[in-house]
């Protein structure tokens, strides 16, 4: 009898843990609403690294893009997003400009006929921008990550698998800057991208996902078509939210089951 009670207790605890870790019970967001996925690095996890959530294993990324293709998702750039499109749309996005985006992610995109939008910091080398969000985050982990070379970016854009978006000159914390400084960070980044790579940068990503209403107004004034945040989820009205688009965060902790759940509901874990 005690053994049965113990087994039941273990089963209940396990079920509660699964419900807490994977909120499978959330309602499906209708697939007429495009999904915008957020990635940073496609690389192997590093032992005791602080930012392993930003590192999606190449094997997992391959599985994810393969699943998207096999399940009828149409790969689009952020600039191509439509409100309630005829087909299921997914926009893959990468933030910052890590070199594995070219060396590792790009061949996988090519393999499956996929494409992505890259939110690129123009002054990205030898910078530890994590400390711009929190001063104690000054261990240099992100600064040590190899960043994209201009020649890499030129090849990416030339392949027509990538489009560029502005992510500021220095990955600035916009909350710490006045309006004029924000204008310079955002507009100069776009100008440098367009002049260097001969392409248009029509969307913007708020660094760290930190912004206020004044930044949204500035992005609107500068004429950006879309702007993406780090708020987890799926935007339900592109017209109303085009300058504050939610994104589906893809974590380095995710397996394919978690990824599929995120694609269905916009989130995965209970606390997301």
């Amino acid at each position: 009898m005690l053994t049965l009670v113990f087994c039941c207790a273990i089963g209940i605890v396990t079920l509660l843990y699964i419900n807490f870790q994977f909120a499978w019970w959330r309602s499906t967001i209708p697939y007429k609403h495009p999904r915008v996925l957020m990635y940073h690095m496609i690389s192997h996890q590093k032992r005791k690294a602080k930012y392993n959530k930003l590192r999606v294993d190449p094997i997992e990324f391959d599985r994810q893009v393969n699943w998207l293709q096999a399940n009828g998702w149409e790969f689009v750039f952020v600039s191509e997003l439509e409100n309630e499109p005829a087909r299921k749309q997914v926009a893959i996005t990468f933030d910052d400009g890590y070199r594995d985006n070219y060396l590792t992610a790009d061949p996988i995109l090519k393999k499956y006929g996929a494409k992505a939008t890259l939110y690129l910091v123009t002054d990205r080398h030898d910078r530890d921008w994590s400390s711009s969000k929190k001063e104690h985050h000054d261990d240099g982990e992100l600064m040590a990550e190899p960043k994209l070379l201009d020649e890499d970016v030129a090849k990416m854009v030339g392949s027509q698998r990538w489009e560029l978006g502005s992510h500021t000159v220095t990955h600035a914390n916009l909350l710490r800057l006045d309006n004029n400084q924000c204008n310079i960070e955002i507009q100069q980044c776009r100008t440098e991208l367009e002049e260097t790579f001969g392409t248009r940068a029509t969307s913007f990503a708020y660094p760290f996902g930190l912004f206020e209403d004044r930044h949204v107004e500035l992005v609107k004034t500068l004429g950006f078509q879309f702007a993406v945040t780090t708020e987890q989820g799926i935007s339900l009205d592109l017209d109303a939210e085009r300058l504050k688009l939610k994104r589906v965060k893809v974590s380095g902790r995710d397996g394919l089951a978690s990824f599929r759940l995120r694609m269905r509901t916009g989130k995965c874990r209970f606390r997301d």
Side-chain angles (χ1 to χ4, degrees), residues 21-40:
Q21 283 293 95
F22 305 101
W24 54 267
W25 37 262
R26 286 194 177 104
S27 299
T28 298
I29 302 297
Y31 292 116
K32 65 182 180 180
H33 301 296
R35 275 54 169 163
V36 182
L37 306 186
M38 181 174 67
Y39 293 90
H40 288 78

Side-chain angles (χ1 to χ4, degrees), residues 60-72 75 108 111-112 256:
E60 292 300 330
F61 184 63
D62 187 288
R63 288 173 177 161
Q64 292 162 8
V65 182
N66 181 30
W67 182 88
L68 291 169
Q69 182 205 54
N71 284 272
F75 299 104
I108 295 172
K111 177 180 177 181
Y112 295 107
L256 186 58

